Amino acid sequence: AADIDGAPGATRTVVLNRMEQEGSWDQDAEINFTRFFNSTPMAIAAIGKDGGIRRTNAPFQRMFGDVVESKGGIKSVSFTDLADESSREALKSAMKAAIAGQAKIAPVDVLVPGEEDLSARIYVSPVNVGDDGGKNNADEEDNQVLIHVLDMTEQRALEQQFAQGQKMQAVGQLAGGVAHDFNNVLTAIIGFSDLLLANHRPSDPSFQDIMNIKQNANRAASLVRQLLAFSRRQTLRPQILQLGDVLSDLRMLLGRLLGETVELEVKHGRDLWPVKADLSQFEQVIVNLAVNARDAMPDGGKLSIRTSNFPEEDFDDEVIYKGMPPADYVLIEVEDRGTGISEKVLEKIFEPFFSTKEVGKGTGLGLSTVYGIIKQTGGFIYPESEVGKGTLFRVFLPRHDEEEEFSEDSEEPAEEANAEDGDKKRDLTGNATLLLVEDEDAVRAFATRALMSRGYTVHEASSGVEALEVFEDEGPIFDLVISDVVMPEMDGPTLFTELRGQHPDLKFIFMSGYAEEAFAKNLPDPESQKFGFLPKPFSLKQLATTVKEILESPD
């Protein structure tokens, strides 16, 4: 240091020994690094030149615990042991690339061997030895590869669920398309059978043959309804049902289906609420569940069917029914004491074409059909099962509103009377002018002949565009238009919109193999649009009755 005049003065030197402090700092850094290393959600490991695992963090130990235990310790585990057989070659290639210093290496998706089904994605990267100026020790230099592992099990499950949903949707669309085309064929078969029956007396030798053709066509139509039920596109004919009465009527049929070795027990709840559902479809649900229960009890057993009210307030205690909004439901329980269903199988039972039965003993569409019917009815179904103890299916159907029940009940008997007695007492002939729009030649030919035989004047069109041309040529002479829904160039709903725009009071009937709701929602202002609906396949009598009713309706 210098004095005030600039002359050099006394100096003082302080020497500090920082060796202990530096050691303490390194130790703190190591502790912090270890905490960070073990707290990361990603499994990390350093791999040596020989493929052995040198260092791991806590998530790695948790993820590969079964592998480590099976090998007798981490020192006995090789990097190839982390993957299943099918993924080991890809993992070896990634390791070679990392040892060679390659920077960008595609991750490897593997299944982790062990008791649980774990999916993992392994990221492999090289370690840059010597970045610290050559201070690495021999062990650190042996760490040639670093791997980071992500647990992909949950994501894989979600991907599989999504893929399964897409598959079910695709198969549903396929089933619906096949059913639609098949319904056109069945409409022609049933229709021309009716035309033949009208010209034959019951005493004629051919009469019974024609009846057999028609009956088998109706059986085929029932199979088509199953396909449409799976795709949720079937035409439902909902009515007010008392499930106690329905199950009582079904009891004799179920008894024959179950056989002598299976005991059937039916218990009805008191004051059961009404539901609104398609009777034949609901019967199909119960029959399918009962037959599955019978097959699960090859040596006999007991099948219980129970009904009860499930009020909205019970939802506080029943938290297991996910996805079902709180409301009043009627509960139907179908329980067997059979072989039961494993968890893995239980997850797939509603998938299309999934069956645990032998080849030729099941299509795999039974429970898919059940699921589709219940969902389209607005209900829910939940299975529970334990291997060796049996299976329970719980079906929830929405309670029908009491006021709606009263108004609809007062109308339905008259409709049923018309359906049963109408053909005997009601005149189904007429002299109106109709326009029939149908792209299927056989269906159009049958419907034209059927309506002309009832006295109607019928003009034909094979598409919506042709129908508009007929309207322009003939003028507003038509009392009613009967149109298919799915047609090339211009479909039925578009034709409906065009004609109603020009002729607001024109009466209209849609024919379709799909459910009415499937296309009605595509109409502009569907609530105010009035039209008739005739589900395919239909008979001559159903066609004539529907036309007569629409023509006589005030709207």
Side-chain angles (χ1 to χ4, degrees), residues 500 505-507 530 550 552-555:
R500 276 287 175 88
D505 298 327
L506 182 65
K507 294 184 177 182
K530 302 293 183 181
I550 296 299
E552 291 180 347
S553 65
D555 294 328

Side-chain angles (χ1 to χ4, degrees), residues 2 87 106 125 176 205 212 220 231 243 270 315 348 374 398 432 442 466 477 485 505 535 551:
S87 305
S125 57
N212 282 331
S231 62
L243 294 187
R270 296 182 58 186
F315 272 77
K348 301 180 180 180
I374 292 171
E466 187 178 337
I477 64 170
V485 173
D505 298 327
L551 286 172

Side-chain angles (χ1 to χ4, degrees), residues 201-361:
R201 296 180 179 180
S203 57
D204 290 346
S206 301
F207 186 87
Q208 192 58 45
D209 294 338
I210 301 170
M211 281 296 298
N212 282 331
I213 293 173
K214 183 177 179 180
Q215 288 169 1
N216 280 281
N218 285 327
R219 284 184 59 195
S222 177
L223 294 175
V224 172
R225 281 195 295 271
Q226 289 190 38
L227 285 175
L228 287 172
F230 163 62
S231 62
R232 302 187 207 176
R233 296 183 184 183
Q234 84 273 40
T235 299
L236 297 181
R237 297 173 179 83
Q239 61 188 89
I240 311 303
L241 300 179
Q242 292 291 343
L243 294 187
D245 297 338
V246 174
L247 291 174
S248 296
D249 293 340
L250 264 181
R251 187 163 190 155
M252 184 176 296
L253 171 62
L254 292 176
R256 290 199 299 268
L257 288 172
L258 296 175
E260 297 180 357
T261 60
V262 177
E263 177 189 353
L264 176 62
E265 176 188 60
V266 181
K267 289 185 178 180
H268 300 301
R270 296 182 58 186
D271 301 322
L272 210 61
W273 294 324
V275 299
K276 191 170 184 180
D278 184 300
L279 175 60
S280 63
Q281 298 290 345
F282 176 75
E283 289 176 344
Q284 185 178 347
V285 167
I286 299 300
V287 167
N288 276 345
L289 293 177
V291 168
N292 280 349
R294 177 201 66 190
D295 294 341
M297 298 184 288
D299 299 324
K302 184 178 181 180
L303 172 64
S304 300
I305 301 178
R306 301 181 294 270
T307 59
S308 61
N309 291 331
F310 191 86
E312 183 175 351
E313 52 266 25
D314 285 358
F315 272 77
D316 293 338
D317 300 322
E318 301 289 343
V319 295
I320 61 172
Y321 305 119
K322 296 179 180 178
M324 187 169 70
D328 290 337
Y329 295 90
V330 176
L331 169 62
I332 307 100
E333 296 177 296
V334 181
E335 184 175 18
D336 66 65
R337 298 289 185 269
T339 55
I341 307 172
S342 66
E343 276 190 34
K344 289 185 178 180
V345 174
L346 198 65
E347 295 173 355
K348 301 180 180 180
I349 58 173
F350 295 125
E351 293 181 9
F353 308 113
F354 176 80
S355 178
T356 57
K357 298 178 182 179
E358 297 177 11
V359 176
K361 293 189 176 181

Side-chain angles (χ1 to χ4, degrees), residues 371-406:
Y371 184 83
I373 291 171
I374 292 171
K375 283 297 183 182
Q376 192 170 4
T377 307
F380 300 86
I381 181 169
Y382 298 94
E384 295 178 19
S385 187
E386 188 174 346
V387 176
K389 293 189 177 181
T391 303
L392 169 64
F393 283 91
R394 287 190 172 96
V395 177
F396 295 86
L397 296 180
R399 174 187 181 180
H400 182 66
D401 184 81
E402 298 289 345
E403 295 182 1
E404 289 185 21
E405 176 199 0
F406 177 81

